[in-house]
């Protein structure tokens, strides 16, 4: 029996489903988390063969001792994974320390975590990238902005999501950025790309071949959603465009991805942009070597009448899956921000869209910055019906 250590199986709350499918496939599923065992959901308890509680997953030594104990008790660990961006580097260090060869090692992490390093792999895949400058002095950054033109975007080179991202439109805002940026943190500054984010989401087998593929679109900038406390929308595509599929597969090959659930992001240009391409072309944004966050795996299931938790667990256990993909549709996410005077009430939405809605829940505070406070997930056969839903959900009173 193969031993699988799942880091933080209780958060995000839907990740117990990965554990359930692993256990169904005959793996010995060992969880490490900081939530007391008695507080775990019954479903998660039933999906684990053993659970080791640590006082904090931030405590590297304590997590190391947990892996050592589980190794001593159960024997060699075959897999260790969190499927979580936040723990990607920790996962790699634990694999390296315990000679777990089925995933990224410490030496792999710079290429998949640092935005500046990602660009070379995107270029190798034949995908255009935005020009960039590693933030050093105010004068040099102003010179870069003069070269590419305002606005420019600055963000931590090794960062999660849109945290501490700045859109800089003039010299005064450049000065503000230098006042506000985190000390001892490396920042990358890029030319602004006028595009909407298109993703390639896939489960890749041990040979680097896709077992399942889909994609989503974020019409609004996550950076603006976070910085302006705006509403949040994105949707799973009914059909993955051919160019996104080709770009995603080329990126998989370039990075040498194997045995992973991935979420790659591209800009689709909204207008011609010198040096990058024509309106509608794809430009590289960044790679994420884990599933798209929050409830996205559930949304993928709703959109394609399938079960990506099972497909992923089948990849781990068998390197193949017989899980069918059924009839496809658009699956829309809308995250409403508290404090806005919306035309339609929660009750109105529930009544009008009861046959479409799959989920209506409050969003955990830790995720609300990028996703809003109240979410609605609904499925629609056409883009027109989805757009009408978004208009109803997000329209505010004058």
């Amino acid at each position: 029996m193969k031993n699988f250590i799942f880091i933080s199986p209780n958060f995000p709350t839907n990740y117990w489903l990965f554990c359930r499918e692993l256990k169904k496939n005959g793996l010995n599923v060992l969880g490490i988390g900081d939530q007391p065992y008695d507080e775990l959901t019954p479903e998660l308890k039933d999906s684990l063969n053993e659970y080791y509680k640590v006082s904090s997953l931030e405590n590297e030594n304590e997590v190391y001792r947990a892996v050592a104990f589980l190794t001593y008790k159960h024997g060699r660990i075959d897999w260790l994974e969190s499927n979580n961006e936040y723990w990607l580097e920790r996962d790699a260090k634990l694999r390296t320390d315990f000679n777990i060869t089925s995933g990224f090692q410490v030496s792999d992490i710079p290429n998949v975590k640092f935005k500046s390093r990602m660009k070379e792999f995107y270029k190798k895949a034949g995908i255009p990238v935005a020009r960039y400058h590693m933030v050093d002095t105010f004068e040099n950054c102003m010179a870069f902005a003069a070269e590419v033109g305002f606005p420019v975007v600055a963000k931590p080179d090794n960062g999660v999501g849109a945290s501490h991202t700045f859109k800089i439109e003039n010299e005064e805002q450049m000065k503000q950025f230098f006042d506000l940026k985190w000390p001892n943190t490396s920042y990358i500054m890029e030319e602004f790309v006028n595009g909407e984010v298109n993703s390639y989401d896939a489960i890749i087998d041990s040979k680097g071949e896709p077992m399942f593929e889909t994609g989503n679109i974020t019409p609004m900038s996550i950076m603006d959603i976070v910085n302006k406390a705006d509403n949040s929308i994105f949707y799973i595509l009914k059909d993955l465009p051919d160019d996104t599929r080709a770009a995603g597969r080329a990126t998989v090959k370039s990075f040498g991805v194997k045995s992973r659930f991935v979420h790659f992001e591209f800009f689709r240009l909204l207008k011609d942009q010198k040096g990058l391409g024509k309106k509608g072309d794809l430009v590289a944004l960044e790679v994420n070597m884990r599933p798209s966050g929050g409830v996205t795996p559930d949304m993928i299931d709703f959109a394609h009448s399938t079960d990506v938790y099972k497909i992923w667990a089948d990849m781990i256990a068998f390197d193949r899956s017989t899980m069918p993909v059924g009839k496809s549709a658009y699956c829309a996410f809308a995250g409403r921000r508290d404090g806005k005077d919306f035309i339609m009430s929660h009750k109105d939405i529930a009544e009008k869209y009861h046959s479409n809605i799959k989920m209506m829940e409050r969003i955990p505070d830790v995720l609300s910055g990028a996703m809003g406070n109240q979410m609605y997930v609904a499925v629609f056969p056409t883009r027109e019906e989805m757009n009408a839903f978004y208009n109803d959900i997000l329209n505010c009173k004058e």
Side-chain angles (χ1 to χ4, degrees), residues 325-361:
V325 175
K327 186 177 180 180
S328 291
Y330 294 95
C331 185
F333 174 97
R336 301 214 301 191
R337 188 74 62 183
D338 289 350
K340 294 183 180 290
D341 195 7
F342 294 104
I343 291 175
M344 286 191 75
S345 69
H346 178 77
K347 182 181 177 183
D348 293 337
I349 295 165
E351 288 178 355
K352 181 171 181 178
Y353 290 103
H354 66 91
S355 62
N356 305 93
I357 285 176
K358 298 293 185 180
M359 303 175 79
M360 286 193 304
E361 296 176 9

Side-chain angles (χ1 to χ4, degrees), residues 67-87:
V67 177
F69 171 80
L70 293 171
T71 302
Y72 171 77
K73 183 173 179 181
H74 296 274
R76 179 179 175 82
I77 304 302
D78 300 284
W79 294 82
L80 183 146
E81 187 60 75
S82 66
N83 276 344
N84 192 316
E85 183 77 20
Y86 191 78
W87 303 118

